């Protein structure tokens, strides 16, 4: 795995101007190309790896590897065009209706990649004020033919006619206990308040990325792409360091952000490889783009204990289950009925195996892995 990760990182660096060394070229063989594909696919970076391999003529035409990698690059370009089209439609609608909104995550980060298609996204993320949520949903459905899927405690999910998901964030969640008011403050820190299509300041946008990254890290892990984004933002944005550090310190994320930078510099720059970087690498490479159920269970079980964790998974708290079944917000007396309904849903054929795997992981006796993850979180101050 270490050699495959080393090759993947070198190929990604190649996309940002670094020449591919002969040592790395010698490591790439027909036998390990499937492994390179699998790892980069797991982290939604296969299109970057594909482009680097193609540029360096490391994929013989007519081979299965050439077809697979080329397909991923082409699909990334197509996905970008589809998302850009939908994003532009949404922006125009909200501007015409004079509704303030803030694009988040990939819609902005891709501006700093060499080419915008290189920063893939599976959806569109936009923040709107809570009081505008219902109006925006109605407009998207009536004027752009979006399908309303469901509403959660922090966001509402809709889908475009072409199948692109949209996350309307209106009540942001937080990775640490004291981060929530800091996030809300950051979402008011915009470049021009007179605009309807508002853009966060460099400090606020970077903080939002780190906080969002920490959130994923603490519920099962986050992928290499989060680190690549952080690396690129640090190289591309101009910060007022005092403002940036205040965001991080007030939300208790200074230590985490520092270790993210060290790891990203090791992978994509000239940073030193330390034991902590290796621990982070092990956790992240196993996690994939958005983490794994195994990591999440290990984290929660270590925090709560086996019995308490199992109880919390069997009996969801009202604050959580009411978002899954909105009727409970009007009729909380129906809670026992919907707990049972949820159990039956967990046993349907599409979710049965996932539920079984979670139970197996929760009842396992692999305390070593739980201790490793606990120590990592402690070293990251999470």
């Amino acid at each position: 795995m270490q050699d495959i990760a080393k090759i993947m990182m070198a190929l990604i660096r190649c996309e940002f101007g670094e020449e591919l060394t002969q040592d790395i070229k010698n490591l790439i063989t027909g036998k390990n190309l499937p492994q390179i594909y699998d790892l980069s696919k797991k982290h939604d970076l296969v299109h970057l790896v594909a482009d680097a391999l193609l540029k360096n003529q490391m994929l013989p035409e007519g081979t299965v590897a050439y077809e697979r990698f080329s397909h991923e690059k082409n699909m990334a370009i197509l996905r970008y065009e589809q998302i850009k089209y939908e994003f532009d439609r949404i922006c125009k609608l909200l501007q015409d209706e004079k509704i303030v909104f803030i694009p988040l995550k990939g819609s902005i980060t891709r501006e700093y990649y060499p080419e915008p298609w290189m920063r893939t996204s599976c959806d569109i993320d936009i923040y709107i004020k809570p009081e505008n949520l219902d109006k925006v949903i109605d407009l998207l459905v009536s004027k752009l033919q979006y399908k309303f899927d469901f509403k959660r405690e922090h966001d509402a999910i809709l889908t475009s006619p072409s199948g692109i998901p949209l996350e309307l964030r209106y009540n942001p969640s937080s990775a640490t206990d004291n981060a929530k008011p800091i996030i809300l403050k950051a979402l008011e820190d915009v470049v021009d308040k007179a605009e309807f299509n508002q853009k966060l300041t460099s400090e606020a946008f970077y903080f939002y990325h780190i906080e969002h990254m920490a959130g994923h890290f603490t519920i099962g892990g986050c992928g290499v792409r989060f680190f690549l984004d952080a690396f690129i933002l640090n190289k591309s944005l101009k910060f007022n360091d005092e403002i940036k550090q205040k965001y991080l310190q007030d939300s208790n994320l200074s230590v985490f952000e520092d270790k993210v930078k060290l790891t990203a510099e090791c992978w994509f720059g000239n940073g030193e490889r330390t034991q902590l970087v290796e621990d982070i690498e092990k956790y992240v490479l196993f996690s994939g783009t958005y983490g794994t159920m195994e990591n999440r269970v290990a984290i929660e079980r270590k925090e709560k204990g086996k019995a308490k964790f199992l109880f919390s998974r069997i009996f969801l708290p009202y604050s959580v289950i009411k978002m899954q079944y909105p009727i409970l917000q009007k009729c909380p007396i129906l809670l026992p009925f919907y707990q049972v309904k949820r159990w039956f849903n967990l046993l349907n054929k599409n979710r049965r195996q996932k539920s079984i795997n979670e139970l197996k992981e929760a009842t396992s006796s692999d305390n070593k892995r739980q201790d490793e993850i606990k120590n990592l979180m402690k070293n990251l101050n999470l």
Side-chain angles (χ1 to χ4, degrees), residues 79-349:
R79 184 167 29 160
Y80 160 69
E81 294 295 343
Q82 290 175 325
I83 285 180
K84 182 179 183 301
Y85 172 73
E86 291 299 336
F87 178 69
D88 290 345
R89 291 175 75 213
I90 295 168
C91 290
K92 185 178 185 308
L93 173 67
L94 297 181
Q95 286 175 309
D96 289 347
E97 296 290 336
K98 297 181 170 49
I99 296 173
V100 171
F101 66 101
I102 302 175
L104 300 171
K105 296 167 58 179
S107 298
I108 301 300
T109 305
R110 64 171 50 97
E111 295 176 11
Y112 306 107
Y113 275 65
E115 295 184 51
W117 65 265
M118 290 181 170
R119 183 19 171 109
T120 54
S121 299
C122 62
D123 55 23
I124 298 169
D125 279 86
I126 290 176
Y127 172 75
I128 57 171
K129 295 184 182 297
E131 60 268 25
N132 290 330
L133 179 65
D134 291 338
K135 180 179 180 180
V136 171
I137 291 173
D138 289 343
L139 285 168
L140 288 165
V141 171
S142 63
K143 296 200 172 186
L144 299 187
Q145 291 72 55
Y146 269 65
K147 174 180 170 287
F148 173 70
D149 295 321
F150 52 86
K151 177 182 173 183
R152 297 182 291 200
E153 187 175 0
H154 307 294
D155 54 22
I157 309 300
L158 296 91
T159 306
S160 76
S162 60
I164 302 296
L166 165 65
E167 290 191 15
L168 288 177
R169 299 183 180 272
Y170 67 96
N171 178 33
S173 57
S174 57
T176 58
D177 292 339
N178 56 336
K180 181 67 175 285
I182 314 303
I183 299 170
L184 292 172
K185 179 183 176 183
L187 290 169
E188 294 291 331
D189 192 2
V190 297
V191 175
D192 187 351
K193 285 188 178 292
E195 292 287 328
F196 293 106
N197 184 353
Q198 295 186 342
K199 185 175 183 179
L200 295 178
T201 62
S202 296
E203 299 81 16
F205 185 77
Y206 180 72
F207 163 69
Y208 185 87
H209 173 76
I210 292 297
E211 202 285 330
H212 185 70
M213 186 176 179
H216 277 282
F217 215 91
T218 55
I219 57 169
C222 66
V224 171
R225 194 181 67 190
F226 278 93
F227 289 81
L228 180 58
D229 282 352
F231 180 81
I232 290 170
L233 292 175
N234 265 304
K235 300 296 182 185
S236 304
L237 298 177
K238 292 182 180 179
F239 297 115
N240 179 315
D241 285 333
E242 185 178 344
I243 295 174
K244 184 180 80 167
Q245 288 305 318
K246 181 165 176 54
Y247 273 128
L248 295 167
Q249 289 166 6
D250 288 351
S251 57
N252 205 29
L253 289 172
S254 294
V255 173
F256 175 72
E257 188 264 347
D258 181 61
K259 305 312 178 190
V260 166
K261 285 198 300 185
L262 290 175
T263 305
E265 281 290 341
C266 175
W267 288 347
F268 309 117
N270 299 307
E272 180 185 0
R273 175 170 284 272
T274 64
Q275 183 58 54
L276 181 57
V277 168
E278 292 190 358
D279 292 343
I280 291 172
E281 182 175 283
K282 179 181 176 183
Y283 180 73
V284 169
L285 291 180
F286 177 74
S287 299
T289 309
Y290 299 112
T292 64
M293 175 272 295
E294 291 84 358
N295 279 349
R296 179 179 60 76
V297 171
I299 292 167
E300 291 194 41
R301 182 184 152 182
K302 196 66 184 176
E303 288 177 350
K304 299 177 180 178
K306 185 191 296 186
K308 191 173 180 181
F309 171 74
L310 284 171
F311 185 86
S312 71
R313 294 304 295 145
I314 294 170
F315 298 97
L316 280 188
Y318 173 72
S319 61
V320 176
I321 198 172
K322 73 177 182 179
M323 304 311 298
Q324 187 174 350
Y325 302 106
I327 191 174
L328 290 175
Q329 297 178 40
K330 295 181 179 179
C331 303
I333 196 171
L334 295 176
L335 177 61
F337 170 79
Y338 278 95
Q339 290 282 13
V340 174
K341 178 179 173 66
R342 174 177 167 272
W343 298 340
F344 280 102
N345 286 341
L346 291 174
L347 294 176
N348 71 37
K349 64 179 181 179

Side-chain angles (χ1 to χ4, degrees), residues 33-71:
L33 278 172
Q35 293 171 282
I36 297 169
Y37 177 92
D38 289 343
L39 181 62
S40 55
K41 177 74 171 176
K42 184 177 181 180
H43 290 269
D44 197 13
L45 294 167
V46 66
H47 59 294
L48 293 179
V49 169
D51 195 47
L53 288 169
L54 290 165
K55 286 176 180 175
N56 286 275
Q57 300 181 325
M58 302 295 293
L59 294 171
E61 289 191 38
T63 62
V64 172
Y66 178 88
E67 296 299 327
R68 291 184 78 192
F69 280 103
S70 297
H71 174 74

